[in-house]
Amino acid sequence: MVELLWDGKYDAQGRRVAPLRLKLPFQTVETVNESAELRQRSLFGGARQSEWRNRLIWGDKKYVLPALLDEFAGKVDLIYIDPPFATGADFSFTASIPSIDGDEQEAMFVKAPSIVEQKAYRDTWGSGLDSFMRWFHETAIYLYELLRTNGSLYVHLDFHVSHYAKVILDEVFGSDGFVNEIVWQRISSHNDAKKYGTIHDTIFFYAKGPGYLWNQQYGEVSTEYTEQFFDQVEEGTGRRYARGDLTARGIRRGETGKSWRGINPTEIGNHWKVPPSELDRLDADGKIHWPKREGGMPRLKRYEDELIGRPLQDIWTDIKLMHNLSQERTGYPTQKPEALLERIINASSNEGDLVLDCFAGSGTTAAVAEKLGRRWITADLGRFAVHTTRKRLLSIPDVRPFVVQNLGKYERQAWQAAEFGGAERAAELNARYRRFILDLYGAREVPGYLWLHGVKAGRMVHVGPVDSPISPGDVTQIALEFRKAMGTGQDAPALAAVDVLGWDFAFELNEVARQQAEAANLTVRFVRIPREVLEQKAVDQGDIRFFELAALAVDVAQKGRDVTLRLTDFVIPPDDVPEDVQRAISHWSQWIDYWAVDWDNQGDTFHNMWQAYRTREKKRSGGASLQLQTAHRYEGPGEYTVMVKVIDILGNDTTKTVRVKVG
């Protein structure tokens, strides 16, 4: 066996390096289109196993795939992936600022990518091909384990690394697992200097076992095709037909190897495709073409008027990339046409089957699977990709319920243990973690406090834990300790201000902060710890940027059981936004791409019960203005917590809660 080797495949002792198997539990952060009945059952533990919910997962594939194994090993029917091609291309996304009235042209800008976004969108590899092959081999192993025995895998690549990928897939799936190399002609021409124009991608089709599911797909039949192949005309009926083989290669000893009508197929090393009794039936039905010359081989009549279509071959020239005005276009740089995924999903799955894509991108696989009645799981490392996919799914009429998940605190806990482990006590582990975050934030550690951990530019700094959000109770304790710290020693704060650093934040913190400020003349600023902290490359390069939380204002009007919400303001801290982009904003609503409401939040997760968002179609029809008001009628009296979620044009989310009392 020929084996492809790369740096890191084997350790110093010559042992194969196993892929990471850190199986972390998922956290559901949002449910979409969930019925009130299903929601109640899930809240009280009454949901049935059969009540499947499709999954949109935000997370790194290296964590997501092993996390799926516990529940889905050997249960996935079809996997399609469109991974990075190792081209070195930059696929960072371009954000747009919509006009207010839909008449003005949108302002466009390229968002400077973080390290995480580079990993998600930039097709680059730190150690060249060694990095790609190590990464792809690990991915292939996980995908093989997730597939059913009759499941199929489609891997979409191009000329850059497809030859390496095939060798790796042969190793994981076995050479017998290879079914097809599909050539997809994406465009009709490309002007490449000093070489033939590159106009195609490669899609490898692998099966986990010999009994893989297959539904024959057909393409359109051209006039040239029918004239060339359906060249016979039946006497009496005038029906055109083509002649097909009744034999196949190889000698058989059973019925299909016997002589029929004096014709012995074994003489030419063949056998009949069907038993002689079936041949008799076909002949009685007039379905056999008998040659005029003596000794000629009979052929099967295939009528033109019974032709479903032309069986698809392994070169696809009939599916082109979307044009700029295509309704399905999302603006995502690597988006594939729905027709391509429709063909693959129809060929290798049936209705109700489970389809997986761990490189969601613009969400094409999930959208097509949804429309075709398949169950689906899709994941992506990029926040913008997850948001694009969510919007796209919501545009599908009667989209079935799905959940948005991540690995959240569990991923951070694993990182903390790996990075700062070895401490004898949990307190020391947490202390090492806080010193690390303070250093990245540019703050100096201060001892002697429980809730105040550092100081920066005269402001005290609190570092939140990895496994829980910053809560109103935390803010209360920070404020109390701050008042004790005033004027005490060299580490006393110079300003009445605290920067509260956290991974996650309780939804009502903005209101709490204002109350604390009024009571103690204290300014509290909430700063998100970026996910880039978990990436060693980002730390090494010094590409760690902390940003203040956006501020959202909501007005509530109530009349009886009718409650109306209206967005009145939305402010993004300018740290991550170029000055020219800021100048293009004439109204605060231009920052908002999507917003949703959970009218009865139970403190478990965000349940999307209503949403409004911008789409390309709305923009083309002059409806770029976003609906900023919505209403709801409650069925019964009570006190309700209403949660509002806003997604800005950069893909970041901001939440706010309001409480209403209905009589």
Side-chain angles (χ1 to χ4, degrees), residues 28-36 38-39 53 56 386-387 389-395 399-404 593-602 604-613 630 632 641-647 653 655:
T28 297
V29 297
E30 182 177 347
T31 68
V32 184
N33 272 21
E34 187 179 62
S35 68
L38 181 58
R39 178 181 177 183
R53 283 182 265 187
L56 171 58
V386 172
H387 173 52
T389 300
R390 172 172 47 196
K391 277 180 52 179
R392 186 171 183 177
L393 290 166
L394 284 167
S395 69
V399 62
R400 292 169 297 171
F402 66 92
V403 297
V404 183
D593 190 58
Y594 163 102
W595 69 290
V597 181
D598 182 352
W599 293 101
D600 184 18
N601 183 258
Q602 304 289 327
D604 55 334
T605 187
F606 180 82
H607 297 268
N608 186 333
M609 302 172 70
W610 176 93
Q611 70 278 321
Y613 53 92
T630 184
H632 177 73
T641 298
V642 182
M643 186 181 295
V644 181
K645 174 185 286 191
V646 169
I647 309 292
D653 62 280
T655 54

Side-chain angles (χ1 to χ4, degrees), residues 113-128:
S114 66
I115 290 291
V116 170
E117 288 166 339
Q118 288 180 36
K119 191 173 180 180
Y121 303 118
R122 289 193 174 184
D123 194 359
T124 56
W125 303 91
S127 303

Side-chain angles (χ1 to χ4, degrees), residues 81-376:
I81 61 171
D82 180 17
F85 291 2
T87 62
D90 184 352
F91 295 120
S92 301
F93 66 88
T94 300
S96 60
I97 301 173
S99 63
I100 293 297
D101 56 11
D103 295 329
E104 303 175 7
Q105 189 173 0
E106 294 181 340
M108 313 290 289
F109 72 99
V110 178
K111 180 185 175 297
S114 66
I115 290 291
V116 170
E117 288 166 339
Q118 288 180 36
K119 191 173 180 180
Y121 303 118
R122 289 193 174 184
D123 194 359
T124 56
W125 303 91
S127 303
L129 280 173
D130 283 310
S131 295
F132 175 84
M133 290 187 289
R134 183 166 55 249
W135 171 89
F136 186 81
H137 182 251
E138 177 184 87
T139 303
I141 291 173
Y142 290 141
L143 299 181
Y144 180 86
E145 294 177 16
L146 285 164
L147 276 176
R148 291 186 184 275
T149 54
N150 66 339
S152 300
L153 168 69
Y154 289 75
V155 180
H156 192 141
L157 296 164
D158 72 0
F159 67 92
H160 288 90
V161 291
S162 59
H163 44 301
Y164 297 110
K166 186 178 184 306
V167 176
I168 293 172
L169 290 169
D170 283 347
E171 179 178 322
V172 175
F173 281 75
S175 57
D176 292 341
F178 173 72
V179 181
N180 274 118
E181 176 185 4
I182 300 163
V183 174
W184 173 43
Q185 182 182 326
R186 301 181 297 111
I187 53 178
S188 57
S189 64
H190 193 270
N191 186 21
D192 289 320
K194 295 187 176 181
K195 69 173 185 176
Y196 303 111
T198 303
I199 62 173
H200 81 278
D201 286 353
T202 296
I203 304 173
F204 291 125
F205 171 21
Y206 277 78
K208 190 171 182 177
Y212 61 91
L213 176 68
W214 175 249
N215 302 315
Q216 179 67 60
Q217 299 297 294
Y218 299 89
E220 293 184 1
V221 179
S222 66
T223 303
E224 293 79 10
Y225 177 80
T226 57
E227 289 179 353
Q228 180 180 356
F229 293 100
F230 293 85
D231 57 347
Q232 303 294 308
V233 179
E234 190 174 65
E235 293 183 10
T237 66
R239 297 172 72 187
R240 295 177 64 90
Y241 66 91
R243 292 164 292 182
D245 287 336
L246 285 169
T247 64
R249 291 185 178 277
I251 296 174
R252 300 289 185 271
R253 296 181 179 180
E255 288 292 308
T256 58
K258 294 181 177 180
S259 183
W260 179 72
R261 305 282 178 93
I263 303 170
N264 187 355
T266 61
E267 294 177 355
I268 55 174
N270 286 3
H271 66 277
W272 299 113
K273 288 184 177 180
V274 295
S277 58
E278 179 65 13
L279 294 172
D280 286 334
R281 187 191 66 78
L282 291 171
D283 192 31
D285 293 339
K287 293 288 185 72
I288 290 183
H289 171 90
W290 290 96
K292 293 180 179 179
R293 66 178 180 87
E294 187 176 348
M297 183 66 69
R299 309 288 295 278
L300 178 67
K301 292 182 180 179
R302 295 171 49 238
Y303 292 103
E304 180 187 9
D305 55 19
E306 295 177 348
L307 186 65
I308 302 174
R310 186 178 182 182
L312 279 180
Q313 309 301 300
D314 61 4
I315 298 178
W316 297 353
T317 61
D318 57 338
I319 300 174
K320 303 300 182 186
L321 290 174
M322 296 84 60
H323 54 76
N324 289 332
L325 297 178
S326 173
Q327 290 190 12
E328 66 181 80
R329 192 171 187 88
T330 65
Y332 198 86
T334 59
Q335 182 179 352
K336 300 301 184 290
E338 290 192 3
L340 180 68
L341 271 299
E342 183 177 343
R343 178 171 293 175
I344 291 171
I345 291 173
N346 276 327
S348 294
S349 71
N350 293 325
E351 189 171 345
D353 284 351
L354 179 57
V355 178
L356 169 67
D357 182 354
C358 54
F359 301 92
S362 66
T364 303
T365 302
V368 175
E370 176 68 27
K371 294 175 182 178
L372 295 178
R374 273 62 167 175
R375 297 174 297 138
W376 53 265

Side-chain angles (χ1 to χ4, degrees), residues 111-112 441 456 525-527 545-550 571-579 582 591 650:
K111 180 185 175 297
Y441 190 57
K456 179 181 180 180
R525 184 169 65 184
F526 296 112
V527 179
R545 294 174 288 174
F546 293 77
F547 301 112
E548 193 175 348
L549 297 185
V571 179
I572 294 181
D575 310 59
D576 199 29
V577 183
E579 289 186 8
Q582 297 179 46
W591 287 121
L650 303 177

Side-chain angles (χ1 to χ4, degrees), residues 376-550:
W376 53 265
I377 300 172
T378 193
D380 203 287
L381 177 59
R383 181 190 291 271
F384 190 72
V386 172
H387 173 52
T388 301
T389 300
R390 172 172 47 196
K391 277 180 52 179
R392 186 171 183 177
L393 290 166
L394 284 167
S395 69
I396 300 173
D398 301 319
V399 62
R400 292 169 297 171
F402 66 92
V403 297
V404 183
Q405 297 180 314
N406 62 26
L407 295 166
K409 67 179 182 181
Y410 305 113
E411 182 181 7
R412 299 193 296 266
Q413 287 171 346
W415 164 80
Q416 185 188 38
E419 190 72 22
F420 310 106
E424 295 181 2
R425 297 179 296 115
E428 179 58 26
L429 177 79
N430 291 326
R432 292 180 183 179
Y433 152 73
R434 286 195 297 268
R435 285 195 290 270
F436 176 77
I437 298 297
L438 287 170
D439 184 60
L440 292 176
Y441 190 57
R444 175 171 59 85
E445 184 183 17
V446 296
Y449 301 105
L450 290 176
W451 296 91
L452 302 174
H453 305 126
V455 63
K456 179 181 180 180
R459 305 173 63 94
M460 300 299 288
V461 180
H462 169 86
V463 180
V466 300
D467 56 357
S468 60
I470 302 295
S471 69
D474 295 336
V475 177
T476 300
Q477 293 299 322
I478 291 167
L480 289 172
E481 192 166 72
F482 183 89
R483 286 196 288 269
K484 295 178 183 178
M486 290 291 290
T488 57
Q490 63 175 1
D491 293 321
L495 302 172
V498 179
D499 290 349
V500 180
L501 278 54
W503 297 90
D504 301 300
F505 297 85
F507 305 113
E508 61 268 44
L509 275 180
N510 285 333
E511 288 79 4
V512 172
R514 279 196 293 270
Q515 295 170 8
Q516 296 291 347
E518 293 174 0
N521 294 320
L522 177 66
T523 300
V524 179
R525 184 169 65 184
F526 296 112
V527 179
R528 189 180 299 279
I529 300 173
R531 192 191 180 281
E532 283 77 16
V533 166
L534 277 59
E535 301 290 338
Q536 188 61 48
K537 182 181 177 182
V539 176
D540 294 341
Q541 294 183 2
D543 191 21
I544 304 295
R545 294 174 288 174
F546 293 77
F547 301 112
E548 193 175 348
L549 297 185

